[in-house]
Amino acid sequence: MPAALTNFATHFFVLGDPLIYGADASIIIVSIAILFVLTYYKKWGWLWREWLTTVDHKKIGIMYLIAALLMFFRGGVDAILMRTQLVWPGMHFLQSEHYNQIFTTHGTIMILFMAMPFIFAMFNIAVPLQIGARDVAFPYLNAISFWMFFFGAMLLNISFVIGGSPDAGWVSYPPLAGPEYSLGPGENFYLLALQISGIGSMGTGINFFVTILKMRAPGMTMMRVPLFTWSALAASILIILAFPALTAALALLLFDRLAGAHFFTMLAGGNPMMYVNLFWVWGHPEVYIVVLPAFGVFSEVVATFSRKRTFGYASMVASMMAIVVLSYLVWVHHFFTMGAGPGVNSFFALASMIIGIPTGVKVFNWLFTMYRGRIRMTAPMLWTVGFIPNFAIGGATGVMLAVAPADYQYHNSYFLIAHFHQVLIGGVVYGMIAGMYYWWPKMFGHMLDERWARHAFWWFNIGFYVCFVPQYLLGFMGMTRRIYVYPANMGWNTLNLVSTVGAYMMGLGFIFLVVDVVYSVFRGQRDKTGDPWDGRTLEWSLPSPAPHYNFARIPVVTSRDAWWIMKEARRKDTTDVSTTPGVDSVSVTKSKQNAPQTLAQAGKLKPIHMPKDSGRPFILSLCFFLFGWGLVFEWYWLAIIGLLGVLTTLVLRSFETDTSYHIPVEEIEKTEAAYGRA
Ligand code: HEM
Ligand SMILES: [Cu+2]
């Protein structure tokens, strides 16, 4: 019996690494602290009623945001650990196996559990408000999506203290990730965590696709849709088309691992390159899934903080849609060295270079929007302007990588690492932070502090160049990715040292960001107007935070930049509007005639139809978690229990008919009066 017990313990717990013991201890301490605080302040009921069961897109957005920031912290700690190990030749800070686990979880977490929830946070916070809707098309599905993402992320995150982390890279290529070379449950954690959160992402893609097509306020034609919402639509299309490929790849690999199938094992008739193809058919569009919403944020921010209409709206939309199509035609650039031959490689090389064109169009549109605008350099604009040079360098090095023969040289070198961090951080992280600063007052009713924002931005931005510019050079000098130690005589020492210093500067920038958030919760300037930036789109017509039904009356939209035009019509009733920069005089004159109906005050209130909260999405996802956990450890009895739980919650839901209610007019009147908007 004791032998069996120790056997179980060594299989189940990760033993022998002091860093992981430290993690164990801190996880236990933090968990106890959370349980204590919730119990002591009697917050369990509140947590369940207000958050765990909510179907309100605004609250779901906030939960996504919190999750994304926590995962950014986790992935950032991984990054700091790696850069610390690489600071000097022959370091003994991390063991080789631990280093492998860390680069794997870092990449996986950053892309799937930081970038994805961050964009979903922005979708949820902004899209329904921008299009004048009361919620998303499927609020219940929205809650399922969040909890599936959440429990998928939990599954991956506990692997490093229980069972062991995956260590075959975030791409998890077989045969390395197959049953022969990745023993233990680590890879299973990866496969199931991604599979479960992938269901959630698919739900979100479908939800926002339908929401944007079907829930727009009257008068909001597609060519009047704000650009951020357009970017959400583009990303949703990509999600719907790309995620099934990932699902298939992960499922087949899971069969290989658990059931001894041979989809990807060469000697039994399978082919590992099939996995690589399936993975990148999802993987390349995935980078656009996360970066297009960032482009959407930049479009909103540039127009608002330059006080000008976006330059080239139609070309912005067209370029986004071009990217959607092109992003499916480039995936082979991730493995030019596969040996597919010059014809195939040339096609994918050309397609990869062509995709730079629509991206360039967007950058120039932002610059033209700023040109002669009255620019305000507040935090969202700072991150937007900071993004442009980063993205220019990242884009140029991307074109270098797209040259297939040259890629034989750069492939899997630090040049690549520098390139994709420059676009992923410079695009996605900058974009989402800009969006967070931009919509923060809308979410919470107070501003983030500008002084701390500046510290955060400058430390992060300068640290970013210090960290990644040396890595381009290291790549040229032959340093390959995923190595945990290197000899002293390669000439890499100084550059690695500089790069690590940069990583610490970025870490400090992140700390300032957190300080800003905490400081502003207590000291932040209140936003009583609901429109602190003098915004252009409909979300700014609402009080902050918006009431849970969003719009007491659904606005009627008569032009692009609907809210700005409404404000102009009111502000400029007497003055000549055609002299206002950035305002199209024709649409103003038109909207002036329509002004009474377009303003939120017009019309009689009617009861509002809203979805009911439900605990089932949480329980459903928890059952999925048990299912995944069972498969990770090959405890099939637990997997079956989990699956039964999933089926039961689904069946129960199908018998539920009473899923919505009406907010009576008196209550709406009271709420609106409390906002001073009777
Ligand atoms: C915040 C600062 C960051 C730093 C200092 C950093 C640093 C690193 C380092 C040192 C590696 C390992 C390189 C190697 O040994 O091969 C790495 C890999 C990676 N990083 Fe980051 N990173 C950061 C942010 C991000 C972000 C925001 C993303 C994605 C949105 C990201 C995605 C990845 C991916 C996909 C890999 C490859 C993992 C693999 O090889 O399997 N990183 N990063
Ligand atoms: Cu790609």
Side-chain angles (χ1 to χ4, degrees):
M1 185 62 191
L5 254 183
T6 36
N7 212 344
F8 176 78
T10 47
H11 187 61
F12 197 73
F13 296 106
V14 181
L15 306 174
D17 187 328
L19 275 173
I20 291 190
Y21 290 138
D24 285 329
S26 56
I27 288 176
I28 293 171
I29 292 170
V30 171
S31 307
I32 292 176
I34 293 174
L35 295 182
F36 177 78
V37 168
L38 285 171
T39 312
Y40 187 81
Y41 291 102
K42 299 197 172 60
K43 287 288 183 193
W44 287 104
W46 165 83
L47 187 67
W48 177 256
R49 262 179 284 112
E50 295 287 319
W51 295 95
L52 303 192
T53 59
T54 187
V55 295
D56 182 342
H57 69 94
K58 299 180 286 299
K59 286 188 180 166
I60 289 176
I62 289 172
M63 292 194 290
Y64 269 124
L65 178 64
I66 295 170
L69 290 174
L70 285 175
M71 288 295 104
F72 195 33
F73 176 74
R74 158 85 211 262
V77 170
D78 285 345
I80 294 276
L81 289 175
M82 284 188 289
R83 276 315 322 166
T84 306
Q85 167 64 25
L86 293 173
V87 65
W88 206 245
M91 281 285 285
H92 292 294
F93 176 59
L94 298 175
Q95 301 147 1
S96 58
E97 194 191 1
H98 198 183
Y99 188 87
N100 293 351
Q101 296 182 347
I102 289 182
F103 72 62
T104 302
T105 48
H106 164 79
T108 311
I109 284 179
M110 282 298 196
I111 304 238
L112 286 142
F113 301 126
M114 185 284 287
M116 290 297 274
F118 223 146
I119 67 163
F120 292 160
M122 297 302 144
F123 286 12
N124 272 290
I125 287 155
V127 167
L129 302 182
Q130 282 201 325
I131 61 174
R134 290 206 164 112
D135 208 321
V136 295
F138 311 114
Y140 183 83
L141 176 65
N142 201 20
I144 293 179
S145 288
F146 174 75
W147 290 111
M148 292 296 278
F149 148 73
F150 177 84
F151 281 110
M154 290 303 283
L155 198 58
L156 189 79
N157 271 280
I158 52 179
S159 68
F160 85 113
V161 288
I162 293 175
S165 298
D167 57 2
W170 86 282
V171 294
S172 188
Y173 287 169
L176 183 58
E180 274 158 71
Y181 300 107
S182 282
L183 306 167
E187 263 323 293
N188 298 351
F189 269 118
Y190 169 95
L191 292 169
L192 285 146
L194 265 60
Q195 200 68 288
I196 290 173
S197 66
I199 299 172
S201 303
M202 190 70 186
T204 305
I206 294 170
N207 217 336
F208 279 87
F209 182 73
V210 178
T211 303
I212 297 166
L213 291 185
K214 299 300 263 186
M215 309 278 285
R216 280 168 289 131
M220 184 174 277
T221 58
M222 282 316 281
M223 290 317 261
R224 288 175 182 166
V225 167
L227 283 169
F228 176 72
T229 297
W230 259 113
S231 74
L233 180 67
S236 300
I237 295 172
L238 286 176
I239 288 174
I240 294 169
L241 296 177
F243 266 78
L246 178 68
T247 305
L250 298 175
L252 295 179
L253 188 53
L254 193 68
F255 286 139
D256 274 10
R257 287 184 59 84
L258 296 186
H262 290 287
F263 292 107
F264 305 128
T265 36
M266 199 72 123
L267 290 179
N271 186 349
M273 284 321 291
M274 275 323 294
Y275 176 90
V276 178
N277 276 288
L278 278 173
F279 184 87
W280 286 108
V281 165
W282 162 79
H284 192 85
E286 168 66 14
V287 305
Y288 284 97
I289 291 170
V290 293
V291 87
L292 285 176
F295 291 172
V297 171
F298 295 138
S299 302
E300 301 292 336
V301 166
V302 163
T304 301
F305 293 91
S306 308
R307 291 180 195 278
K308 273 180 69 188
R309 203 165 39 142
T310 313
F311 182 90
Y313 174 93
S315 64
M316 286 292 207
V317 173
S319 61
M320 248 177 319
M321 289 299 134
I323 291 174
V324 166
V325 176
L326 285 172
S327 69
Y328 283 97
L329 303 177
V330 303
W331 82 90
V332 173
H333 69 205
H334 293 270
F335 43 97
F336 280 143
T337 54
M338 174 172 70
V344 171
N345 278 2
S346 306
F347 175 87
F348 286 96
L350 271 175
S352 306
M353 294 175 198
I354 288 172
I355 210 166
I357 297 171
T359 320
V361 166
K362 304 183 77 63
V363 174
F364 281 105
N365 280 339
W366 292 316
L367 293 176
F368 284 131
T369 308
M370 284 184 234
Y371 177 66
R372 303 182 95 178
R374 278 177 286 153
I375 296 180
R376 289 168 290 169
M377 268 298 168
T378 36
M381 192 63 175
L382 208 52
W383 287 94
T384 302
V385 173
F387 140 87
I388 290 177
N390 276 319
F391 210 74
I393 302 173
T397 54
V399 174
M400 288 170 74
L401 283 160
V403 180
D407 184 65
Y408 272 70
Q409 199 61 37
Y410 318 131
H411 188 72
N412 279 348
S413 77
Y414 256 78
F415 185 84
L416 167 83
I417 299 285
H419 154 71
F420 78 67
H421 281 91
Q422 194 122 36
V423 284
L424 276 171
I425 299 178
V428 183
V429 174
Y430 279 45
M432 292 305 112
I433 294 178
M436 180 181 111
Y437 273 98
Y438 185 56
W439 283 304
W440 191 272
K442 190 46 63 195
M443 285 183 264
F444 299 107
H446 65 259
M447 320 286 287
L448 285 175
D449 183 71
E450 279 292 328
R451 222 165 25 104
W452 284 115
R454 262 154 227 280
H455 285 294
F457 173 77
W458 286 110
W459 278 99
F460 198 91
N461 193 47
I462 296 175
F464 188 30
Y465 289 97
V466 176
C467 182
F468 289 102
V469 170
Q471 295 184 9
Y472 285 120
L473 304 174
L474 283 169
F476 284 142
M477 294 163 77
M479 182 161 160
T480 49
R481 71 190 291 196
R482 297 175 181 160
I483 58 172
Y484 89 109
V485 70
Y486 51 89
N489 57 359
M490 304 294 287
W492 301 344
N493 304 2
T494 317
L495 287 172
N496 268 306
L497 176 69
V498 173
S499 178
T500 300
V501 170
Y504 275 87
M505 290 169 72
M506 294 169 83
L508 202 59
F510 181 73
I511 291 175
F512 284 133
L513 190 93
V514 174
V515 170
D516 195 352
V517 168
V518 175
Y519 175 89
S520 305
V521 166
F522 297 104
R523 294 277 179 81
Q525 184 199 330
R526 295 281 320 159
D527 162 38
K528 296 204 185 70
T529 58
D531 187 13
W533 312 119
D534 199 5
R536 311 177 72 83
T537 41
L538 282 176
E539 72 269 35
W540 304 111
S541 71
L542 293 170
S544 303
H548 67 290
Y549 48 77
N550 297 353
F551 295 88
R553 297 176 190 81
I554 297 293
V556 177
V557 175
T558 55
S559 53
R560 219 173 269 165
D561 287 341
W563 172 237
W564 178 263
I565 301 294
M566 290 177 200
K567 283 191 291 190
E568 284 300 293
R570 256 190 300 185
R571 278 199 282 244
K572 307 279 175 198
D573 245 348
T574 49
T575 43
D576 179 13
V577 285
S578 57
T579 59
T580 317
V583 176
D584 174 349
S585 57
V586 183
S587 57
V588 172
T589 341
K590 252 202 268 159
S591 79
K592 238 181 179 171
Q593 292 157 1
N594 297 335
Q597 318 147 27
T598 59
L599 300 178
Q601 276 76 7
K604 241 179 58 192
L605 284 172
K606 291 195 205 83
I608 296 178
H609 189 207
M610 295 294 286
K612 272 191 187 161
D613 287 351
S614 169
R616 218 167 270 133
F618 181 86
I619 294 167
L620 172 79
S621 310
L622 185 65
C623 293
F624 257 108
F625 179 84
L626 293 180
F627 170 67
W629 183 269
L631 286 187
V632 164
F633 288 97
E634 301 185 47
W635 300 342
Y636 288 102
W637 56 271
L638 183 63
I640 291 171
I641 293 176
L643 201 57
L644 285 177
V646 169
L647 291 176
T648 313
T649 37
L650 289 178
V651 169
L652 285 178
R653 170 68 177 184
S654 71
F655 284 110
E656 200 178 48
T657 46
D658 184 23
T659 56
S660 59
Y661 70 105
H662 282 86
I663 309 177
V665 171
E666 307 83 73
E667 195 187 319
I668 306 168
E669 274 170 350
K670 259 213 301 232
T671 315
E672 292 290 301
Y675 280 116
R677 304 199 167 214

